Amino acid sequence: MQLSGTWSILNGLVATLLFSTLTPAIELNIGDEQSIKDAASTSTYSMMGWYAGNETGQIPGSFPEKWWEGSALFLALLQYWHFTGDDTYNSLMSEGMEWQSGDKGDYMPSNYSSYLGNDDQMFWGLAAMTAAELKFPDVPDKFSWLSLAQGVFNTQTARWDTTTCGGGLRWQLFPYQDGYTMKNSISNGGLFQLAARLARYTNEDKYTKWAEKIWDWSLSSPLVNNKTWNVADSTQMSNDCADAGNYQWTYNYGTYLMGAAYMYNFTSDEKWKTPVDGLLARTLKIFFPNGDVFEDTTCEPIKKCNFNEILFKGLTSSWLAFTALLVPDTAAQIKPKLASSAQAAAKSCTGNNNNTCGIAWYQNKWDGTTGMEQEISATNVFLANMINFDTGTFGPVTSKTGGNSSSDPNAGEGSGDDDKDKPITNGDKAGASILTLIFVFSWAGIMAWMMLGA
Ligand SMILES: *[C@@H]1O[C@H](CO)[C@@H](O)[C@H](O)[C@H]1NC(C)=O
Ligand SMILES: *[C@@H]1O[C@H](CO)[C@@H](O)[C@H](O)[C@H]1NC(C)=O
Ligand SMILES: *[C@@H]1O[C@H](CO)[C@@H](O)[C@H](O)[C@H]1NC(C)=O
Ligand SMILES: *[C@@H]1O[C@H](CO)[C@@H](O)[C@H](O)[C@H]1NC(C)=O
Ligand SMILES: *[C@@H]1O[C@H](CO)[C@@H](O)[C@H](O)[C@H]1NC(C)=O
Ligand SMILES: *[C@@H]1O[C@H](CO)[C@@H](O)[C@H](O)[C@H]1NC(C)=O
């Protein structure tokens, strides 16, 4: 993903000027299963207000200026179906997740492949993996969910870079992108998580070996510290990863925690319990500073969360819920934090007279912002509380416990990693930046218009 501006905050300021509302919050009684489902249904409906991919003439699963966010939307929808049983959005999910999978089934679709990063592709791989683990049926004659996760794994492990830092994945794929000379936690921790989940689902050794390799490399780098359990954001190749940019983000912790939880569930090896406990303890300690409410502390207090960042704690809420299912003795610590966070998130959903949710849940009221990202994160934290009602059916399955998504160990490779090797023409580059510019300028236009109007 790319660094981006703070337009969602500006949007919020405008909205605050335009509307001062007394809309009731989303009602949420954490002790009542139906109440959680109803809250998630409301936020999911709002979330889908931003999705046009099922309309005539639109492209399924496509969010051109922020491609990876489609995967976040589908991750939320998969869980919505899994935890509530409501299949309203299932056909739209199958269609969108297949459409974006690319010709080779590895989430490198040619429309976007010239500017996507390892983290963007990885999130789509996690969405496909989630579909397999939650028994979302494969689509006949299309790529199976498992093979799509394998396709992402295969293309990314082929990019493992030993030119500096003793290994690791770069953040971005191409030299003209900021981040090409960096190795970061979400890309490496994301591939670690994907490898761990493939290991558990398929019981194949190559995934276990890769999970271990990525984990060991991460500890050997400044990204993950196995004494303090600090997870840094990124490190520079120019000085051989001697130090790290230490911005603290929920999802960097969440992805390493999730990978370790899968490895522990899969192997029962105490070697993996230590990181589960260490990463969980630090996550719960640093990201719940206000009333036990989940907060991306690097951007929320200063009101500068960009649209990527708004999604982080929603993704991590889901990962905490699955950690509690996979490593049952963590549940007692996790559940109260998910409960207080969901309650605060519900209180934030009073915006625009239509239950629009905010970014900063800890404020216990709408913070004036509006966006798909807010709705996705609220949906995730509501649904995370469904684990309180698990009767043994909510945990992710494996190929031995009911998962039947078909395997293709060579998925995505084809005749080589063409997308990576494909020379990027100036046309491609211009296309990508023009899209961004059009987006920014049209946004500025709307802003100016709204301000004049108000
Ligand atoms: C709620 O209102 C906002 C601002 O007008 C709008 O962008 C959004 O689409 C609306 N959501 C729904 C579900 O109608
Ligand atoms: C697209 O999906 C939405 C639900 O998010 C639904 O309300 C709408 O009717 C669908 N459009 C078409 C053309 O099926
Ligand atoms: C790529 O762009 C073309 C032209 O707009 C469109 O028809 C196609 O559906 C797009 N593919 C994806 C995966 O978005
Ligand atoms: C921490 O990681 C380092 C580097 O991989 C390793 O040598 C050491 O044994 C680890 N310590 C513990 C307590 O696991
Ligand atoms: C592994 O996870 C499942 C949930 O998917 C859970 O039922 C099981 O108890 C876990 N196994 C271990 C050894 O913790
Ligand atoms: C796989 O399982 C799903 C439900 O879990 C079922 O709908 C589907 O028919 C199964 N597919 C095959 C090929 O058995």
Side-chain angles (χ1 to χ4, degrees):
M1 55 197 77
Q2 305 285 323
L3 302 171
S4 60
T6 56
W7 57 268
S8 54
I9 299 297
L10 294 173
N11 180 6
L13 292 177
V14 173
T16 315
L17 292 174
L18 292 179
F19 308 94
S20 54
T21 78
L22 293 169
T23 317
I26 288 183
E27 263 179 60
L28 178 64
N29 174 359
I30 292 290
D32 176 1
E33 190 175 350
Q34 192 57 45
S35 171
I36 299 174
K37 292 182 181 179
D38 291 344
S41 169
T42 302
S43 58
T44 301
Y45 179 81
S46 298
M47 170 178 108
M48 293 311 288
W50 305 85
Y51 184 78
N54 62 334
E55 305 290 339
T56 315
Q58 302 285 326
I59 302 171
S62 167
F63 292 90
E65 73 282 4
K66 40 185 182 180
W67 179 73
W68 85 276
E69 292 201 9
S71 68
L73 180 107
F74 292 123
L75 274 165
L77 283 180
L78 282 164
Q79 293 172 82
Y80 177 70
W81 165 70
H82 178 65
F83 286 120
T84 70
D86 179 353
D87 63 5
T88 304
Y89 306 105
N90 283 21
S91 58
L92 173 157
M93 272 193 276
S94 300
E95 187 189 27
M97 287 176 63
E98 290 291 352
W99 199 275
Q100 293 304 318
S101 63
D103 296 340
K104 292 189 184 165
D106 54 11
Y107 288 112
M108 288 290 291
S110 56
N111 291 1
Y112 309 107
S113 55
S114 62
Y115 64 96
L116 57 77
N118 278 312
D119 48 356
D120 302 297
Q121 183 196 21
M122 179 278 296
F123 269 108
W124 281 94
L126 292 183
M129 190 72 226
T130 302
E133 290 173 338
L134 302 187
K135 298 201 277 184
F136 188 56
D138 281 349
V139 184
D141 304 321
K142 301 267 183 190
F143 297 117
S144 71
W145 305 126
L146 178 60
S147 77
L148 287 166
Q150 290 167 314
V152 172
F153 171 89
N154 288 336
T155 51
Q156 297 213 338
T157 49
R159 294 180 193 136
W160 190 256
D161 173 80
T162 52
T163 59
T164 58
C165 313
L169 269 190
R170 295 170 186 263
W171 176 15
Q172 303 286 345
L173 310 186
F174 304 108
Y176 56 80
Q177 286 172 304
D178 289 342
Y180 180 70
T181 55
M182 293 163 86
K183 296 187 172 172
N184 66 341
S185 280
I186 195 59
S187 299
N188 285 283
L191 183 58
F192 165 60
Q193 178 187 161
L194 184 62
R197 292 170 69 167
L198 283 166
R200 179 177 174 274
Y201 190 97
T202 65
N203 199 22
E204 276 172 38
D205 209 32
K206 80 167 170 181
Y207 301 118
T208 309
K209 289 215 166 74
W210 267 101
E212 280 173 349
K213 175 172 170 160
I214 303 162
W215 175 255
D216 289 346
W217 177 80
S218 299
L219 295 193
S220 77
S221 81
L223 294 177
V224 180
N225 183 315
N226 64 352
K227 293 196 186 67
T228 61
W229 296 109
N230 186 75
V231 181
D233 184 66
S234 49
T235 178
Q236 294 286 349
M237 292 163 62
S238 56
N239 64 358
D240 207 29
C241 299
D243 51 22
N246 197 29
Y247 282 124
Q248 298 288 292
W249 296 111
T250 53
Y251 78 156
N252 287 330
Y253 285 82
T255 195
Y256 280 110
L257 171 62
M258 190 72 160
Y262 269 87
M263 288 308 285
Y264 181 63
N265 185 277
F266 173 48
T267 63
S268 298
D269 185 341
E270 284 305 307
K271 168 187 163 182
W272 294 109
K273 188 61 169 36
T274 309
V276 168
D277 290 339
L279 290 167
L280 178 61
R282 190 162 156 85
T283 302
L284 298 183
K285 180 161 178 243
I286 66 179
F287 293 117
F288 294 79
N290 287 305
D292 267 353
V293 177
F294 210 7
E295 175 180 340
D296 256 301
T297 50
T298 294
C299 69
E300 290 185 42
I302 54 169
K303 296 191 164 55
K304 281 200 187 318
C305 300
N306 69 33
F307 54 74
N308 297 322
E309 291 156 5
I310 299 166
L311 290 165
F312 295 170
K313 67 179 187 284
L315 292 162
T316 309
S317 297
S318 302
W319 292 340
L320 287 170
F322 280 101
T323 297
L325 292 174
L326 289 160
V327 187
D329 83 6
T330 62
Q333 295 172 71
I334 290 173
K335 286 178 175 179
K337 303 278 192 184
L338 291 176
S340 45
S341 299
Q343 265 148 351
K347 287 188 195 147
S348 87
C349 301
T350 60
N352 295 325
N353 286 316
N354 68 7
N355 288 123
T356 293
C357 305
I359 298 170
W361 300 337
Y362 68 87
Q363 294 184 9
N364 288 293
K365 60 178 173 62
W366 186 46
D367 61 7
T369 66
T370 301
M372 177 177 80
E373 295 80 4
Q374 286 85 325
E375 305 305 325
I376 293 176
S377 284
T379 298
N380 285 347
V381 77
F382 296 156
L383 292 172
N385 285 274
M386 285 298 293
I387 61 172
N388 290 316
F389 304 97
D390 183 31
T391 55
T393 58
F394 284 159
V397 300
T398 70
S399 63
K400 290 207 183 98
T401 60
N404 66 5
S405 187
S406 48
S407 175
D408 179 0
N410 299 318
E413 285 170 314
S415 54
D417 194 359
D418 287 0
D419 294 309
K420 186 188 170 198
D421 301 334
K422 183 181 94 165
I424 300 304
T425 63
N426 285 331
D428 286 340
K429 278 180 2 184
S433 36
I434 282 169
L435 265 182
T436 312
L437 282 177
I438 288 173
F439 179 65
V440 169
F441 279 121
S442 60
W443 178 252
I446 293 167
M447 286 287 305
W449 177 80
M450 284 179 84
M451 287 186 161
L452 287 174

